Every structure is written in C-alpha cells, then in structure tokens.
Amino acid sequence: MRQSEEDAFREFAKARMGHLFRSACLLTGGDTHLAEDLVQETLGKMYGVWGPASRVGNPAAYAQTVLVRCCLGYRRRRSSKERPSGELPDRAQVPVPDSSLRVTLLDALRGLPPKDRAVIVLRYWEDLSVAETADVLHTSPAAVRTRSTRALARLRERLGSSIGELTVH
C-alpha cells in the first residue's frame, strides 16, 4: 500500500472509530471489551480491502456491514459461555448522565438474541432503512420487518413500565 493510501486509511479509521465503537457497544449489549475487539477486527478487514483496487463505493457503510458481520460471526463461533467480569474492586465510580436509563436499555438489549439486537441497532440507532438493514444482514426485507417487530415487542416486555420512570425528570 502506498503512503497516500495508508494516510487516507488512517484518516478514515480515526474519523469512524468512535461511531463504530458506539455501534459495537450496542451490538454486544454493552460489552465494551468485546466492542473494542470487534472494532479492531473491522478496521483490520477494512485495511485489507483499502486501496486503488478496492471496489468499496461507500467505506463507512461497508465498515458498518463488516462490524455487524464480525459481531454475528463472533457469537456463532464462540465455544464457551464464559463471561469476563467487568467489575474490579476499589474502582472509582464516575457518574454518567442518564446512567440508569443507559444501563436499563443496555440490559434489555443484552437480553435479545444477536440477530434481533443487530436489527434493532441498525434500524433505530444507525437509522438504516429496512432494505439497507436487509442488505447488511443478507436477509430479506420481510425478515427484517418481522424480526424488528418481534424484537421491539421483547424490548417492551423486558422494559415494562420501568422505562417511563427512568425518562421522567
């Protein structure tokens, strides 16, 4: 790869890393460590296709597609059910605005199957159309609509009335 192409990739990675990380956090149900790994894997794959021979018309959209596929692939190939602990003793607690709402929503998202979570994140966080979401997930628009409806119903069921209590200030 020539220096100009490498510089262009670095600029792309720097500009998209935060957005990819936020999406990855939502896709993983708040697992920031896994989200970081998925972003790195995504950028590594993007680096592999970067350059003049690349036929990627929209690198940002392609990166989003790669991220979703990496996440779904991780869930499929995962051989154990081990969960790393996110809690360390004597850790400083930093207040986060709307933290109770954020935790509630991430817990509800975490309870969804990976494909349902991917549909919800792509449709309502990334604001993709049904057709765009279907393209990213290699499925039909009808399957996206069905999965979206069912996933939203599961979220409403999991959240119940607690979401209203968290949003009222």
Side-chain angles (χ1 to χ4, degrees), residues 10-161:
R10 281 193 181 120
E11 287 300 315
F12 168 79
K14 192 183 301 184
R16 296 300 300 167
M17 194 175 301
H19 183 79
L20 289 170
F21 179 72
R22 285 187 295 276
S23 293
C25 282
L26 291 170
L27 287 168
T28 61
D31 185 342
T32 57
H33 302 291
L34 177 56
E36 289 172 351
D37 291 344
L38 292 173
V39 170
Q40 289 302 315
E41 185 177 348
T42 298
L43 292 175
K45 289 181 179 191
M46 289 296 296
Y47 185 80
V49 299
W50 198 265
S54 174
R55 288 184 256 158
V56 176
N58 183 345
Y62 185 73
Q64 190 67 35
T65 300
V66 170
L67 175 69
V68 171
R69 290 182 187 158
C70 286
C71 182
L72 293 175
Y74 171 80
R75 296 293 181 195
R76 275 193 302 270
R77 70 180 176 262
R78 189 160 183 200
S79 61
S80 85
K81 298 293 181 188
E82 287 183 26
R83 288 283 205 191
S85 175
E87 298 298 320
L88 299 173
D90 300 321
R91 192 166 94 179
Q93 296 294 324
V94 178
V96 178
D98 294 45
S99 61
S100 57
L101 176 60
R102 181 170 297 159
V103 168
T104 301
L105 290 174
L106 284 175
D107 283 344
L109 273 174
R110 191 177 299 115
L112 294 177
K115 285 188 179 182
D116 287 354
R117 193 174 8 198
V119 167
I120 294 297
V121 170
L122 291 172
R123 288 282 293 127
Y124 302 103
W125 174 260
E126 298 296 330
D127 201 26
L128 296 183
S129 69
V130 170
E132 292 167 329
T133 303
D135 187 45
V136 168
L137 297 175
H138 288 294
T139 189
S140 69
V144 169
R145 285 190 294 271
T146 300
R147 193 172 286 279
S148 178
T149 300
R150 290 180 183 161
L152 285 173
R154 284 188 188 119
L155 279 176
R156 286 185 191 104
E157 182 180 302
R158 289 183 61 89
L159 293 171
S161 62

